Each structure stands twice: as structure tokens, then as C-alpha cells.
């Protein structure tokens, strides 16, 4: 179970706190509220697979690279029947947690709100975040209003605040609902610094098929780890992050033939820039390490039923699809070989032979000529069936061994991890460059 963690990190005095670029003054505390929702109470809402991972990954980066003083995490992975801290992401719990954080925040503190899940907008183009208990029959009254969040932050007087919303994911509804649209922009006067949306109105926000995260969050993690640090000053500002994510997701969309377009809405005057994290540029990004998924028994059951299904369930999507494809091909080949074997056997058994006669040699030769081709066909079909069957059984056993030894469900990361990719990154001004990276990792 993943529950709240509030960590106060001790660090070097010259690195603590958020620095507004262009100013020598350091701010107060760094506070974050992070929400991720996979499964919705209303059966009409399609469940997601990676929103929880998004929340946990961002929380980890904010603590490790962002040196946030307090990070509160709310996911639907928490058991609502055993939730003394009220962290199960219902509308009431999120509202109360948000109010509690803001009530204890000072004017010099920095606040970041991250949400990963479904999002909608109403006829007035006001945006809403669907909480775990949101209802399709009352989509706006039962969901979290972005306008309300903005107003509460504005009322508190926090100018150094950010909302990062990875919402409107894939297909939100089990059936099309023309009355409910995607997340749209809204115009409000307030003291909030800015809202970074994972995609514009009318576009989807996708879950990545090459990692354990959503596409937007994957590049958000990349950026916060240091790939967005365009001026190489070892610090990642919000402006750098915004530029990096916009370009990276655009390139991903082109490569995948999708349409996802992140954008930012600023409120009030943008007189500076917030440093969100310090660059570490790890050899293996957090976004490239498969995440442990609960339900090992379910993964084993799936892989026993069909090779690769368990790996796919655990988050190793590419491996899972590859294994399922190989297993399907071997299974079809086995069925085809068995069919040909039965056909050859029936042909051999039904062959008409010449009965023995005084001319034994002639009848033997005739029978040999009649039966030998059928016998050879039967032996060939039998050998092929054995070979294909052995391959299928061997691959089936390897699938189970792989699930036990190397899959994402066996540990936090696979023992073996390989990645190679080409990434765009800015070089300051209008310049740009491509970076090629290769990594191999062994864990024990």
C-alpha cells in the first residue's frame, strides 16, 4: 500500500529552498500535493493503468531532485476502509487535504499541485478533475473544480504556485458522451503562478506504451532529472521544463502518430521563474525503470493461462506483447502440425495394400511403393509436431521463469534493463540539438 509520506530533508544550506531567478532572495517551504487515480467508482468511467505510477514517480522526483519539504500523496491504491489520514482520493478528501495544506502555508512558501487522472470541462469551459467517487450523472458537482483550486490559492496569496495536470487520458467514457468535453483553458484573475496542462482542449493525454507512466509524466520526470536544463546551470526552472515538455511530447506525438499538445496558462504577472529541481541526469532515468505492480498472484495466473500476459499485466508492455505474439505463433504452428500429423496418420492407416500371394516379392514391392511415401509423410509430420511442441513447452516454461526472475513484478526494477533513445533538448534561445543516450543496467 502506498500511503502519505511527509519528509523533511536535511541538505546543504546553499541549496535549500526555491530561488526565483533574477532575485537573490530564497523562499520559504516547498510543499506539494500529488494525486493519482487509476480506478473510478462509476463503472461508466474507463479505468487507467498508470496514473498511480505518475503520482508516485513525481513525488519521488520532487523529494530527491526538488528538495521539497513536504509531499503528500493521494492514490486510490490506499484501502479506503483503513485510511486514518484520509488519503483515499475522493472529492471530500482532496478538498480537505488541499485546505489543510493551504491553511498552514505562508506567503513565501511554494506550492505545487499535481494530478493524474481523468479531466473534463463544462459548457462554460471551466475545467474539472474527476476524483475517485465522481459520478457521470453529476460530473461537475461530484468532481474537483480547477477554478476552485485557483481561487483558494489566490485567496491565500501564494504567488509561487504551480498546477500540473495530466488529465483527459485516452478514452474517458465507456460510451461516447457528446455533452462532456476534454479539459479546456479557463481565464481567472489570481495570484497563481501558472497551470501546466498535459494537453490542449479537444486532444487526448496518452499513457505511454514504453514505460510505466503516462507520456506527459514520463517527460516531466526526464525534465526534472535534468534533461530540461538547457543552460546547464544544474538547475531546472519551470520555464525550461515547460519548453522541454512541449517539444518532447510534440516529437513523441509525431513519432506515434498521435495528437497531444501540452500548454501552459499563466496568471498574474510573470516576473521571474521558479527553480523546481536540481539536475542529476542519472544513468538510468526513474521513468525508464519498470514499477512494481501489486497482484503477483494475478500476474502468475495470467502467464500460466497464456505466456506474456503476466508480464504485460506487470507493466512490461513491450515484452508482454512480444511474448504473447511468439506464444500465439507457436500455438498456431503446433495446432497446424497436429492437424497435418492426424491427416498423415489417417492416410497411412487407410492405405490399401496388396494381400500376400505366391508372388511374394512382387506384392512386397507393390506394398512398399504404396506405403513408403505415406509412412515418410507420417514420420515427417510426427517429427515436426514434436519439434514445435517442444519449442512451445520450452517457451511456456521460459515465460514463467522470466516472470519469476526478470519481470517488473519481481522487484522494483527488472534485473536487466536496457534503453536506447534519441531526445530533443533546447540549447538556449532558439537553438536546439539532439542527444543520443544508451544505458544498460543490472540489479541484484
Amino acid at each position: 500500500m502506498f500511503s502519505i509520506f511527509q519528509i523533511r530533508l536535511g541538505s546543504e544550506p546553499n541549496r535549500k529552498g526555491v530561488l526565483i531567478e533574477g532575485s537573490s532572495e530564497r523562499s520559504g517551504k516547498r510543499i506539494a500535493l500529488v494525486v493519482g487515480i487509476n480506478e473510478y467508482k462509476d463503472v461508466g468511467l474507463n479505468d487507467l493503468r498508470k496514473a498511480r505510477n505518475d503520482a508516485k514517480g513525481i513525488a519521488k522526483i520532487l523529494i530527491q531532485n526538488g528538495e521539497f519539504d513536504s509531499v503528500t500523496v493521494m492514490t486510490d491504491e490506499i484501502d479506503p476502509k483503513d485510511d486514518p489520514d484520509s488519503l483515499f482520493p475522493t472529492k471530500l478528501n482532496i478538498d480537505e487535504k488541499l485546505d489543510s495544506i493551504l491553511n498552514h502555508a505562508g506567503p513565501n512558501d511554494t506550492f505545487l499541485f499535481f494530478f493524474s487522472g481523468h479531466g473534463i470541462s463544462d459548457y462554460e469551459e471551466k475545467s474539472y478533475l474527476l476524483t475517485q467517487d465522481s459520478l457521470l450523472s453529476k460530473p461537475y458537482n461530484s468532481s474537483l473544480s480547477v477554478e476552485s483550486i485557483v481561487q483558494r490559492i489566490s485567496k491565500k496569496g501564494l504567488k509561487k504556485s504551480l498546477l500540473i495536470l495530466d488529465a483527459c487520458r485516452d478514452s474517458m467514457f465507456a460510451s461516447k458522451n457528446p455533452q462532456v468535453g476534454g479539459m479546456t483553458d479557463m481565464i481567472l484573475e489570481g495570484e497563481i503562478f501558472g497551470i501546466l496542462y498535459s494537453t490542449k482542449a479537444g486532444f487526448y493525454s496518452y499513457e505511454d506504451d514504453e514505460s510505466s507512466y503516462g507520456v506527459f509524466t514520463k517527460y516531466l520526470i526526464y525534465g526534472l532529472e535534468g534533461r530540461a536544463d538547457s543552460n546547464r546551470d544544474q538547475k531546472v526552472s519551470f520555464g525550461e521544463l515547460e519548453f522541454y515538455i512541449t517539444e518532447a511530447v510534440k516529437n513523441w506525438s509525431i513519432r506515434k502518430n498521435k495528437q497531444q499538445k501540452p500548454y501552459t496558462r499563466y496568471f498574474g504577472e510573470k516576473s521571474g521563474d521558479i527553480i523546481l529541481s536540481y539536475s542529476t541526469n542519472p544513468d538510468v532515468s526513474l521513468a525508464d525503470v519498470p514499477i512494481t505492480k501489486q497482484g503477483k498472484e494475478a500476474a502468475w495466473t495470467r502467464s500460466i493461462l497464456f505466456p506474456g500476459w503476466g508480464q504485460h499485466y506487470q507493466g512490461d508492455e513491450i515484452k508482454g506483447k512480444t511474448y504473447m505474439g511468439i506464444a500465439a505463433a507457436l500455438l498456431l504452428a503446433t495446432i497446424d502440425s497436429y492437424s497435418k500429423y492426424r491427416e498423415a496418420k489417417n492416410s497411412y492407416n487407410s492405405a490399401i495394400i496388396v494381400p500376400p500371394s505366391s508372388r511374394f516379392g512382387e506384392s512386397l514391392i507393390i506394398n512398399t511403393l504404396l506405403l513408403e511415401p505415406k509412412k515418410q509423410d507420417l514420420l515427417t509430420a510426427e517429427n515436426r509436431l514434436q519439434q514445435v511442441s517442444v519449442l512451445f513447452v520450452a517457451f511456456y516454461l521460459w515465460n514463467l521463469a522470466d516472470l519469476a526472475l526478470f519481470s517488473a513484478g519481481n522487484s522494483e526494477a527488472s534485473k536487466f534493463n536496457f534503453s536506447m533513445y534519441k531526445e530533443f533538448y533546447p540549447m538556449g534561445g532558439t537553438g536546439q540539438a539532439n542527444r543520443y543516450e544508451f544505458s544498460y543496467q543490472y540489479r541484484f
Side-chain angles (χ1 to χ4, degrees):
M1 180 182 296
F2 190 81
S3 60
I4 183 173
F5 55 92
Q6 293 191 353
I7 301 179
R8 297 185 180 277
L9 297 174
S11 61
E12 298 177 5
N14 63 344
R15 290 188 57 186
K16 193 63 180 176
V18 176
L19 176 66
I20 304 298
E21 290 191 348
S23 171
S24 61
E25 296 182 2
R26 294 187 179 275
S27 68
K29 295 178 295 182
R30 297 161 72 83
I31 309 166
L33 175 60
V34 179
V35 181
I37 304 172
N38 274 8
E39 299 175 1
Y40 287 82
K41 180 179 179 180
D42 195 314
V43 295
L45 288 168
N46 283 352
D47 290 336
L48 300 170
R49 294 177 299 161
K50 302 179 179 181
R52 295 174 190 165
N53 295 347
D54 291 345
K56 291 185 284 187
I58 290 301
K60 189 171 184 179
I61 288 295
L62 292 179
I63 292 174
Q64 292 182 347
N65 292 62
E67 297 184 347
F68 272 65
D69 299 270
S70 175
V71 178
T72 301
V73 181
M74 305 180 72
T75 74
D76 61 318
E77 199 170 36
I78 297 169
D79 184 356
K81 297 179 181 179
D82 183 20
D83 185 23
D85 296 312
S86 300
L87 295 172
F88 191 68
T90 61
K91 181 179 184 298
L92 176 61
N93 285 349
I94 297 175
D95 273 330
E96 290 184 344
K97 194 63 61 178
L98 180 61
D99 287 337
S100 175
I101 290 174
L102 292 178
N103 287 338
H104 290 86
N108 292 323
D109 293 340
T110 296
F111 175 66
L112 186 149
F113 177 82
F114 175 87
F115 179 90
S116 181
H118 284 311
I120 58 173
S121 63
D122 62 15
Y123 294 109
E124 298 178 357
E125 299 188 349
K126 294 180 180 179
S127 298
Y128 298 83
L129 306 174
L130 298 186
T131 59
Q132 199 279 335
D133 57 344
S134 292
L135 301 174
L136 278 178
S137 58
K138 301 176 180 178
Y140 311 119
N141 293 333
S142 62
S143 57
L144 191 63
S145 168
V146 176
E147 179 180 2
S148 172
I149 299 175
V150 171
Q151 289 175 342
R152 278 182 273 182
I153 296 174
S154 178
K155 184 177 180 180
K156 185 65 180 180
L158 297 178
K159 295 184 178 181
K160 292 172 291 184
S161 300
L162 294 173
L163 271 64
I164 301 179
L165 309 179
D166 192 355
C168 189
R169 310 290 289 275
D170 287 305
S171 178
M172 183 171 60
F173 301 101
S175 60
K176 297 295 183 182
N177 186 342
Q179 296 182 345
V180 183
M183 296 271 303
T184 61
D185 193 11
M186 48 178 235
I187 301 176
L188 287 174
E189 293 299 329
E191 298 298 325
I192 191 168
F193 186 87
I195 303 178
L196 176 57
Y197 292 90
S198 63
T199 191
K200 290 183 177 181
F203 297 94
Y204 288 129
S205 183
Y206 293 93
E207 294 193 324
D208 188 44
D209 59 355
E210 299 174 353
S211 73
S212 299
Y213 299 91
V215 173
F216 175 81
T217 299
K218 180 179 78 169
Y219 288 109
L220 186 63
I221 292 173
Y222 283 166
L224 290 171
E225 286 177 334
R227 298 188 193 184
D229 182 16
S230 59
N231 60 8
R232 300 296 185 267
D233 63 353
Q234 303 303 309
K235 294 174 288 188
V236 177
S237 69
F238 181 68
E240 289 176 318
L241 184 66
E242 174 195 0
F243 183 80
Y244 169 79
I245 290 178
T246 301
E247 293 298 320
V249 175
K250 181 182 72 174
N251 291 340
W252 178 91
S253 298
I254 294 173
R255 187 171 69 252
K256 297 289 186 177
N257 195 27
K258 304 290 186 182
Q259 288 189 330
Q260 181 172 344
K261 301 179 179 181
Y263 79 107
T264 304
R265 173 67 182 175
Y266 289 100
F267 297 88
E269 296 183 3
K270 184 179 180 298
S271 57
D273 204 350
I274 296 179
I275 293 174
L276 293 178
S277 65
Y278 291 92
S279 302
T280 57
N281 291 306
D283 293 334
V284 178
S285 170
L286 173 67
D288 294 327
V289 178
I291 290 181
T292 301
K293 188 171 184 177
Q294 290 187 346
K296 292 182 180 179
E297 296 80 5
W300 274 97
T301 301
R302 284 165 169 76
S303 273
I304 289 173
L305 292 175
F306 197 81
W309 191 6
Q311 285 84 347
H312 188 276
Y313 175 79
Q314 286 287 7
D316 292 343
E317 295 188 19
I318 295 178
K319 180 190 290 185
K321 291 177 181 178
T322 301
Y323 277 21
M324 286 190 282
I326 294 174
L330 289 175
L331 181 60
L332 291 175
T334 302
I335 294 173
D336 180 66
S337 297
Y338 179 75
S339 176
K340 290 180 179 178
Y341 166 76
R342 293 290 301 175
E343 182 181 340
K345 186 175 182 180
N346 291 334
S347 177
Y348 178 78
N349 291 335
S350 62
I352 299 176
I353 61 175
V354 176
S357 64
S358 57
R359 296 181 175 183
F360 177 77
E362 291 182 4
S363 61
L364 178 62
I365 293 174
I366 292 173
N367 286 334
T368 299
L369 293 175
L370 290 173
L371 290 178
E372 189 62 26
K374 296 182 180 296
K375 182 180 180 180
Q376 291 299 322
D377 289 344
L378 177 59
L379 291 175
T380 300
E382 185 178 15
N383 288 335
R384 175 174 172 76
L385 176 60
Q386 289 178 348
Q387 293 171 358
V388 176
S389 299
V390 168
L391 283 175
F392 180 78
V393 171
F395 183 75
Y396 180 86
L397 294 176
W398 166 253
N399 147 74
L400 298 179
D402 175 82
L403 187 66
L405 298 174
F406 308 118
S407 73
N410 181 57
S411 61
E412 183 178 355
S414 298
K415 285 191 174 183
F416 294 97
N417 185 44
F418 168 83
S419 62
M420 182 173 64
Y421 44 82
K422 171 186 175 183
E423 282 298 341
F424 166 89
Y425 70 95
M427 290 291 291
T430 58
Q432 64 184 55
N434 291 314
R435 172 168 57 196
Y436 296 85
E437 293 195 7
F438 166 87
S439 67
Y440 172 81
Q441 183 183 45
Y442 176 73
R443 290 178 177 264
F444 57 90

